[in-house]
Amino acid sequence: DAGVIQSPRHEVTEMGQEVTLRCKPISGHNSLFWYRQTMMRGLELLIYFNNNVPIDDSGMPEDRFSAKMPNASFSTLKIQPSEPRDSAVYFCASRGGVTKNIQYFGAGTRLSVL
Amino acid sequence: GENVEQHPSTLSVQEGDSAVIKCTYSDSASNYFPWYKQELGKRPQLIIDIRSNVGEKKDQRIAVTLNKTAKHFSLHITETQPEDSAVYFCAASPLDSNYQLIWGAGTKLIIKP
């Protein structure tokens, strides 16, 4: 398996623009997590899904952020409109299968909002 | 809810010496405690984990100890090498069907040559 795949790897956009981050979890995993990482706030859980259903979105900063998981192999995190304070590295992770306790992270998307 | 505190935030040790990172948790229902390593510019990756029915677990130069009574667990790295330089995160969680990990703030480990 290729692991958790995120796209794009880097995104530079201007304030006010819509940003969509994408994630393909490991095949057979039934849980998916979106994290945000910054120097100031460390690793923050934004939302996680279990069997494509959002279980806890209490970490989503505000209404500008939304996440979907339309099927077991794809998830998106959308920011609309984006702001400079959204600049961070966004990680997607998945969990499940025989190694059910371990979260496997994607390579991350580095977002810069100018 | 669960809260995980991690200390120190930065640790600098001489190459070859040992390093110890400590975490405390608040929820007695937590029974799974992983440690992740994140090298600069890379993704976090699991290096070792322990469940509450075990007091200690070793994997080569890395070991984790757990004290359930005191609600703390520690990562021990012996004979440190330059490639051990990274940020280390501890986490805690109850093992149920919808569990999420509660993460510590991370420890930046610097190995001095």
Side-chain angles (χ1 to χ4, degrees):
Chain A
D1 199 310
V4 177
I5 299 173
Q6 290 187 246
S7 64
R9 290 295 311 279
H10 303 275
E11 178 79 31
V12 180
T13 190
E14 292 187 349
M15 182 174 63
Q17 297 297 306
E18 177 180 296
V19 175
T20 300
L21 311 182
R22 297 173 175 79
C23 176
K24 176 178 167 51
I26 293 172
S27 177
H29 283 191
N30 63 342
S31 296
L32 183 139
F33 306 81
W34 281 103
Y35 290 93
R36 178 173 68 177
Q37 187 173 41
T38 61
M39 289 294 292
M40 291 297 295
R41 300 176 67 89
L43 194 61
E44 301 174 276
L45 177 67
L46 300 177
I47 185 171
Y48 82 98
F49 296 84
N50 206 43
N51 295 320
N52 312 337
V53 176
I55 301 300
D56 184 354
D57 64 354
S58 59
M60 296 287 263
E62 50 200 88
D63 292 345
R64 296 186 299 107
F65 285 69
S66 63
K68 294 182 179 180
M69 191 164 186
N71 56 62
S73 59
F74 184 66
S75 177
T76 59
L77 178 67
K78 185 175 293 186
I79 308 172
Q80 166 65 14
S82 58
E83 297 182 2
R85 59 190 169 126
D86 301 330
S87 297
V89 178
Y90 291 81
F91 286 105
C92 174
S94 72
R95 183 192 76 204
V98 294
T99 58
K100 58 183 178 178
N101 301 325
I102 302 172
Q103 288 190 23
Y104 292 88
F105 284 74
T109 295
R110 182 173 296 276
L111 174 65
S112 297
V113 183
L114 306 177
Chain B
E2 175 65 283
N3 181 53
V4 176
E5 294 191 357
Q6 184 171 347
H7 299 280
S9 57
T10 304
L11 178 60
S12 183
V13 302
Q14 204 70 37
E15 182 179 349
D17 289 350
S18 295
V20 181
I21 302 170
K22 299 179 180 180
C23 289
T24 60
Y25 62 100
S26 59
D27 189 350
S28 56
S30 289
N31 55 8
Y32 175 63
F33 308 92
W35 286 87
Y36 282 73
K37 175 184 180 182
Q38 185 179 26
E39 297 177 0
L40 187 63
K42 301 291 182 64
R43 72 193 79 186
Q45 290 187 294
L46 179 79
I47 54 171
I48 194 167
D49 57 7
I50 193 169
R51 298 190 186 187
S52 59
N53 59 346
V54 176
E56 182 177 7
K57 185 177 179 180
K58 289 184 179 179
D59 183 2
Q60 300 182 335
R61 295 186 299 107
I62 293 172
V64 56
T65 58
L66 172 66
N67 183 326
K68 285 195 300 180
T69 302
K71 295 199 188 88
H72 66 70
F73 56 112
S74 300
L75 178 70
H76 304 254
I77 306 174
T78 59
E79 301 174 9
T80 54
Q81 300 171 3
E83 56 264 35
D84 295 329
S85 294
V87 177
Y88 292 81
F89 293 94
C90 65
S93 170
L95 280 173
D96 60 37
S97 60
N98 284 332
Y99 83 92
Q100 59 170 294
L101 292 175
I102 306 301
W103 297 83
T107 296
K108 183 176 183 180
L109 176 61
I110 300 166
I111 307 301
K112 296 181 293 186

